[in-house]
Amino acid sequence: MVCKEHVAFRMTLSGKTVSVHDTSGLDQVRKRLKLDPGIIRQVRAALLRSFLGEAKALQSVPFDVRHGFAAAVRLHELTPVERRDSRTDGATKLVYRTSDGHRIESVILRIQSGRSSLCVSSQTGCPGGCRFCATGRIKGGRNLTSAEVLDQVVQAGGILAAEGRRLRNVVLMGMGEPLLNEDAVYSALAALQGKDGFNLSGRHLLVSTLGIPDAIRRLTAQFPQVGLAISLHSARQTVRDDLMPLARRWPLGELRQAILEANTCQDREVMIEILMLAGVTDTEADQTALVGWLTGLRVHVNLIPYNSVGDIVFKDAPLRGSPNVRIQAMQEALKAAAFKVTRRRSLGSDIGAACGQLGGNEN
Ligand code: SF4
């Protein structure tokens, strides 16, 4: 939801009044400039579906009103400030500034030839405060607007289109906790799936959350096709409480009940993410607790290697990633209990773009 003050603030910065993602505002501009509705559809299709960029999108507007249209409509919300390309795995980190000076990041993941994913941010920091995450250390953040979430897709889509690649998947796994910004995130999800928006399949969208039960119910009821990932990390309450301070508000029993309900309204498995931390989430006690907690749920477990975000002391010991043998042991324990389990291949760690590393240059 964009508050009036925020809009007014951005108007003074940009001198433009309506985002291309604001369909009702766009319609007012259209009427004022006496434009055919088909022109607006062409501009949005060029920008949001073909990712042709600003100049080509504006070519659909008749020349005599093009200047007036360009002065009234913002095609972008974010200013690109930096691009870092991985030398090892094809990931690209894109850094932007918002109009009020926050720095946010998105990551392009070129997984296979022609199939690409984009990890987008939903907040400029995160109140989650997870011990293993750089974003959780950023103070004074705010929710992104839906237009700011969507502009990350527009700008990355343009980069991929110029390479002859197609953006296939959009995952809300970047900076921030998406379910603390429900209005903007739901509006963005609707636009991403909309036939007059980005026209992406809900099956290629995914929202990752630390696990807020009531918000999970709202998300899955409204967007049953959109994937849900839960950053569980530990099925032991005390360990989880220490690792993820904000998650203490929603005990594991309540979270499990919400996943059970999500299973009834979605025809896809819920992804359970486990960050593999040596001696913290990878012990035999963790295996037992996790298998017990997951039993009865339709899930796919994703084991995530830890990407260092500096020297972190957790319970009087440095936080370290699990050795391969412990990851293997967790994988075997889950497989033996008949769960689908995969290991995440972490991309972009050489450019500070892997899981947990976003926003790490802020401070
Ligand atoms: S892991 Fe997610 S919820 Fe936790 S601090 Fe980082 S962005 Fe926030």
Side-chain angles (χ1 to χ4, degrees), residues 123 125-137 173-178 180 208-210 231 233 243-244 246 356:
Q123 298 182 304
C126 184
C130 301
R131 302 290 302 275
F132 45 80
C133 173
T135 308
R137 296 183 205 158
M173 278 189 175
M175 295 168 64
E177 164 51 58
L180 291 176
S208 176
T209 172
L210 57 70
S231 299
H233 304 319
L243 275 177
M244 305 169 72
L246 190 70

mmCIF file of all heavy atoms in Angstrom, residues 123 125-137 173-178 180 208-210 231 233 243-244 246 356, ligand 1:
data_model
loop_
_atom_site.group_PDB
_atom_site.id
_atom_site.type_symbol
_atom_site.label_atom_id
_atom_site.label_comp_id
_atom_site.label_asym_id
_atom_site.label_seq_id
_atom_site.Cartn_x
_atom_site.Cartn_y
_atom_site.Cartn_z
ATOM 1 N N GLN A 123 11.648 -5.480 1.341
ATOM 2 C CA GLN A 123 11.860 -4.421 2.329
ATOM 3 C C GLN A 123 13.288 -3.909 2.148
ATOM 4 O O GLN A 123 14.120 -4.588 1.538
ATOM 5 C CB GLN A 123 11.702 -4.969 3.758
ATOM 6 C CG GLN A 123 10.301 -5.517 4.069
ATOM 7 C CD GLN A 123 10.176 -5.993 5.513
ATOM 8 O OE1 GLN A 123 10.953 -6.828 5.958
ATOM 9 N NE2 GLN A 123 9.203 -5.447 6.240
ATOM 10 N N GLY A 125 15.355 -3.360 4.640
ATOM 11 C CA GLY A 125 16.138 -4.014 5.690
ATOM 12 C C GLY A 125 15.256 -5.143 6.161
ATOM 13 O O GLY A 125 14.415 -5.611 5.402
ATOM 14 N N CYS A 126 15.404 -5.563 7.414
ATOM 15 C CA CYS A 126 14.453 -6.581 7.902
ATOM 16 C C CYS A 126 14.439 -6.599 9.419
ATOM 17 O O CYS A 126 15.513 -6.697 10.041
ATOM 18 C CB CYS A 126 14.828 -7.959 7.366
ATOM 19 S SG CYS A 126 13.602 -9.203 7.863
ATOM 20 N N PRO A 127 13.253 -6.514 10.005
ATOM 21 C CA PRO A 127 13.181 -6.601 11.470
ATOM 22 C C PRO A 127 13.362 -8.016 11.998
ATOM 23 O O PRO A 127 13.360 -8.231 13.199
ATOM 24 C CB PRO A 127 11.767 -6.071 11.778
ATOM 25 C CG PRO A 127 10.989 -6.253 10.534
ATOM 26 C CD PRO A 127 11.953 -6.286 9.380
ATOM 27 N N GLY A 128 13.520 -8.997 11.060
ATOM 28 C CA GLY A 128 13.669 -10.396 11.467
ATOM 29 C C GLY A 128 14.869 -10.616 12.394
ATOM 30 O O GLY A 128 14.818 -11.402 13.327
ATOM 31 N N GLY A 129 15.951 -9.910 12.105
ATOM 32 C CA GLY A 129 17.136 -9.988 12.965
ATOM 33 C C GLY A 129 17.796 -11.354 13.013
ATOM 34 O O GLY A 129 18.500 -11.662 13.988
ATOM 35 N N CYS A 130 17.615 -12.175 11.985
ATOM 36 C CA CYS A 130 18.205 -13.521 12.006
ATOM 37 C C CYS A 130 19.728 -13.405 12.110
ATOM 38 O O CYS A 130 20.352 -12.585 11.427
ATOM 39 C CB CYS A 130 17.801 -14.311 10.764
ATOM 40 S SG CYS A 130 16.004 -14.470 10.632
ATOM 41 N N ARG A 131 20.294 -14.252 12.947
ATOM 42 C CA ARG A 131 21.712 -14.105 13.284
ATOM 43 C C ARG A 131 22.636 -14.356 12.091
ATOM 44 O O ARG A 131 23.765 -13.881 12.066
ATOM 45 C CB ARG A 131 22.071 -15.085 14.414
ATOM 46 C CG ARG A 131 21.234 -14.899 15.670
ATOM 47 C CD ARG A 131 21.577 -13.593 16.383
ATOM 48 N NE ARG A 131 22.972 -13.539 16.741
ATOM 49 C CZ ARG A 131 23.489 -14.055 17.836
ATOM 50 N NH1 ARG A 131 22.713 -14.687 18.685
ATOM 51 N NH2 ARG A 131 24.781 -13.957 18.093
ATOM 52 N N PHE A 132 22.148 -15.103 11.125
ATOM 53 C CA PHE A 132 22.993 -15.535 10.002
ATOM 54 C C PHE A 132 22.794 -14.667 8.763
ATOM 55 O O PHE A 132 23.250 -15.005 7.679
ATOM 56 C CB PHE A 132 22.644 -16.989 9.634
ATOM 57 C CG PHE A 132 21.148 -17.209 9.571
ATOM 58 C CD1 PHE A 132 20.427 -16.825 8.466
ATOM 59 C CD2 PHE A 132 20.471 -17.742 10.651
ATOM 60 C CE1 PHE A 132 19.050 -16.978 8.417
ATOM 61 C CE2 PHE A 132 19.091 -17.911 10.623
ATOM 62 C CZ PHE A 132 18.373 -17.522 9.498
ATOM 63 N N CYS A 133 22.073 -13.533 8.909
ATOM 64 C CA CYS A 133 21.647 -12.781 7.723
ATOM 65 C C CYS A 133 22.089 -11.322 7.791
ATOM 66 O O CYS A 133 21.821 -10.627 8.777
ATOM 67 C CB CYS A 133 20.121 -12.872 7.615
ATOM 68 S SG CYS A 133 19.441 -11.833 6.319
ATOM 69 N N ALA A 134 22.740 -10.866 6.718
ATOM 70 C CA ALA A 134 23.230 -9.478 6.695
ATOM 71 C C ALA A 134 22.081 -8.474 6.658
ATOM 72 O O ALA A 134 22.165 -7.404 7.265
ATOM 73 C CB ALA A 134 24.141 -9.287 5.476
ATOM 74 N N THR A 135 20.983 -8.808 5.975
ATOM 75 C CA THR A 135 19.860 -7.860 5.871
ATOM 76 C C THR A 135 19.287 -7.549 7.254
ATOM 77 O O THR A 135 18.847 -6.438 7.523
ATOM 78 C CB THR A 135 18.738 -8.449 4.995
ATOM 79 O OG1 THR A 135 19.292 -8.878 3.760
ATOM 80 C CG2 THR A 135 17.646 -7.435 4.736
ATOM 81 N N GLY A 136 19.287 -8.555 8.132
ATOM 82 C CA GLY A 136 18.718 -8.388 9.469
ATOM 83 C C GLY A 136 19.483 -7.396 10.324
ATOM 84 O O GLY A 136 19.027 -7.010 11.395
ATOM 85 N N ARG A 137 20.654 -6.952 9.857
ATOM 86 C CA ARG A 137 21.437 -5.980 10.643
ATOM 87 C C ARG A 137 21.170 -4.545 10.215
ATOM 88 O O ARG A 137 21.660 -3.612 10.839
ATOM 89 C CB ARG A 137 22.931 -6.248 10.448
ATOM 90 C CG ARG A 137 23.351 -7.583 10.974
ATOM 91 C CD ARG A 137 24.862 -7.708 10.788
ATOM 92 N NE ARG A 137 25.217 -9.110 10.723
ATOM 93 C CZ ARG A 137 26.323 -9.558 10.158
ATOM 94 N NH1 ARG A 137 27.173 -8.725 9.601
ATOM 95 N NH2 ARG A 137 26.579 -10.844 10.153
ATOM 96 N N MET A 173 12.760 -13.764 -2.114
ATOM 97 C CA MET A 173 13.703 -14.333 -1.142
ATOM 98 C C MET A 173 14.841 -13.363 -0.885
ATOM 99 O O MET A 173 15.866 -13.737 -0.337
ATOM 100 C CB MET A 173 14.337 -15.611 -1.716
ATOM 101 C CG MET A 173 13.530 -16.853 -1.597
ATOM 102 S SD MET A 173 14.557 -18.242 -2.090
ATOM 103 C CE MET A 173 13.458 -19.599 -1.739
ATOM 104 N N GLY A 174 14.683 -12.127 -1.373
ATOM 105 C CA GLY A 174 15.758 -11.154 -1.231
ATOM 106 C C GLY A 174 15.696 -10.465 0.126
ATOM 107 O O GLY A 174 15.361 -11.091 1.135
ATOM 108 N N MET A 175 15.994 -9.177 0.147
ATOM 109 C CA MET A 175 16.010 -8.456 1.425
ATOM 110 C C MET A 175 14.586 -8.307 1.960
ATOM 111 O O MET A 175 13.668 -7.925 1.235
ATOM 112 C CB MET A 175 16.639 -7.072 1.218
ATOM 113 C CG MET A 175 18.111 -7.137 0.818
ATOM 114 S SD MET A 175 18.740 -5.542 0.232
ATOM 115 C CE MET A 175 18.601 -4.542 1.707
ATOM 116 N N GLY A 176 14.425 -8.599 3.263
ATOM 117 C CA GLY A 176 13.139 -8.358 3.909
ATOM 118 C C GLY A 176 12.292 -9.592 4.095
ATOM 119 O O GLY A 176 12.551 -10.652 3.505
ATOM 120 N N GLU A 177 11.286 -9.446 4.944
ATOM 121 C CA GLU A 177 10.318 -10.507 5.220
ATOM 122 C C GLU A 177 9.038 -10.139 4.468
ATOM 123 O O GLU A 177 8.311 -9.216 4.872
ATOM 124 C CB GLU A 177 10.075 -10.595 6.737
ATOM 125 C CG GLU A 177 8.850 -11.371 7.155
ATOM 126 C CD GLU A 177 8.748 -12.756 6.528
ATOM 127 O OE1 GLU A 177 9.669 -13.563 6.705
ATOM 128 O OE2 GLU A 177 7.722 -13.019 5.858
ATOM 129 N N PRO A 178 8.734 -10.843 3.365
ATOM 130 C CA PRO A 178 7.593 -10.446 2.521
ATOM 131 C C PRO A 178 6.264 -10.386 3.268
ATOM 132 O O PRO A 178 5.433 -9.537 2.977
ATOM 133 C CB PRO A 178 7.546 -11.530 1.444
ATOM 134 C CG PRO A 178 8.876 -12.180 1.468
ATOM 135 C CD PRO A 178 9.447 -12.011 2.828
ATOM 136 N N LEU A 180 5.650 -9.398 6.167
ATOM 137 C CA LEU A 180 5.472 -8.187 6.973
ATOM 138 C C LEU A 180 5.113 -7.012 6.066
ATOM 139 O O LEU A 180 5.034 -5.877 6.511
ATOM 140 C CB LEU A 180 6.751 -7.861 7.758
ATOM 141 C CG LEU A 180 7.114 -8.835 8.889
ATOM 142 C CD1 LEU A 180 8.451 -8.443 9.513
ATOM 143 C CD2 LEU A 180 6.020 -8.875 9.951
ATOM 144 N N SER A 208 9.140 -16.597 0.165
ATOM 145 C CA SER A 208 9.850 -17.226 1.277
ATOM 146 C C SER A 208 9.638 -16.401 2.542
ATOM 147 O O SER A 208 9.842 -15.190 2.537
ATOM 148 C CB SER A 208 11.345 -17.308 0.947
ATOM 149 O OG SER A 208 12.052 -17.830 2.042
ATOM 150 N N THR A 209 9.243 -17.069 3.621
ATOM 151 C CA THR A 209 8.933 -16.355 4.861
ATOM 152 C C THR A 209 9.551 -17.060 6.059
ATOM 153 O O THR A 209 9.760 -18.276 6.028
ATOM 154 C CB THR A 209 7.403 -16.267 5.062
ATOM 155 O OG1 THR A 209 7.129 -15.745 6.365
ATOM 156 C CG2 THR A 209 6.714 -17.622 4.930
ATOM 157 N N LEU A 210 9.793 -16.284 7.128
ATOM 158 C CA LEU A 210 10.260 -16.923 8.355
ATOM 159 C C LEU A 210 9.131 -17.662 9.064
ATOM 160 O O LEU A 210 9.365 -18.415 10.004
ATOM 161 C CB LEU A 210 10.964 -15.929 9.288
ATOM 162 C CG LEU A 210 10.283 -14.671 9.805
ATOM 163 C CD1 LEU A 210 9.185 -14.961 10.793
ATOM 164 C CD2 LEU A 210 11.319 -13.780 10.462
ATOM 165 N N SER A 231 11.388 -20.564 6.002
ATOM 166 C CA SER A 231 12.739 -20.593 6.575
ATOM 167 C C SER A 231 12.619 -21.197 7.968
ATOM 168 O O SER A 231 12.451 -20.475 8.951
ATOM 169 C CB SER A 231 13.307 -19.176 6.670
ATOM 170 O OG SER A 231 13.403 -18.604 5.396
ATOM 171 N N HIS A 233 14.816 -23.742 9.441
ATOM 172 C CA HIS A 233 16.193 -23.829 9.954
ATOM 173 C C HIS A 233 16.347 -24.772 11.135
ATOM 174 O O HIS A 233 17.302 -25.533 11.178
ATOM 175 C CB HIS A 233 16.782 -22.448 10.241
ATOM 176 C CG HIS A 233 16.728 -21.562 9.034
ATOM 177 N ND1 HIS A 233 17.015 -22.025 7.769
ATOM 178 C CD2 HIS A 233 16.360 -20.265 8.872
ATOM 179 C CE1 HIS A 233 16.842 -21.055 6.887
ATOM 180 N NE2 HIS A 233 16.439 -19.983 7.532
ATOM 181 N N LEU A 243 18.284 -18.345 16.983
ATOM 182 C CA LEU A 243 18.764 -18.005 15.638
ATOM 183 C C LEU A 243 17.920 -16.909 14.983
ATOM 184 O O LEU A 243 18.434 -16.099 14.214
ATOM 185 C CB LEU A 243 18.674 -19.238 14.722
ATOM 186 C CG LEU A 243 19.801 -20.249 14.720
ATOM 187 C CD1 LEU A 243 19.422 -21.398 13.798
ATOM 188 C CD2 LEU A 243 21.124 -19.609 14.283
ATOM 189 N N MET A 244 16.617 -16.917 15.267
ATOM 190 C CA MET A 244 15.674 -16.057 14.533
ATOM 191 C C MET A 244 14.787 -15.310 15.555
ATOM 192 O O MET A 244 13.653 -15.720 15.826
ATOM 193 C CB MET A 244 14.804 -16.920 13.613
ATOM 194 C CG MET A 244 15.626 -17.797 12.675
ATOM 195 S SD MET A 244 14.622 -19.040 11.834
ATOM 196 C CE MET A 244 13.707 -18.013 10.694
ATOM 197 N N LEU A 246 12.843 -12.710 15.800
ATOM 198 C CA LEU A 246 11.446 -12.289 15.553
ATOM 199 C C LEU A 246 10.502 -13.491 15.508
ATOM 200 O O LEU A 246 9.332 -13.387 15.891
ATOM 201 C CB LEU A 246 11.358 -11.504 14.237
ATOM 202 C CG LEU A 246 10.011 -10.821 13.991
ATOM 203 C CD1 LEU A 246 9.801 -9.639 14.952
ATOM 204 C CD2 LEU A 246 9.894 -10.337 12.548
ATOM 205 N N GLY A 356 21.357 -14.915 2.433
ATOM 206 C CA GLY A 356 21.829 -14.329 3.698
ATOM 207 C C GLY A 356 22.804 -13.185 3.527
ATOM 208 O O GLY A 356 23.101 -12.466 4.480
HETATM 209 S S1 SF4 B 1 16.722 -14.269 6.931
HETATM 210 FE FE1 SF4 B 1 14.890 -13.262 6.067
HETATM 211 S S2 SF4 B 1 13.610 -12.876 7.867
HETATM 212 FE FE2 SF4 B 1 15.662 -13.269 8.664
HETATM 213 S S3 SF4 B 1 16.630 -11.232 8.859
HETATM 214 FE FE3 SF4 B 1 17.178 -12.059 6.832
HETATM 215 S S4 SF4 B 1 15.665 -11.219 5.425
HETATM 216 FE FE4 SF4 B 1 14.831 -11.018 7.516
#
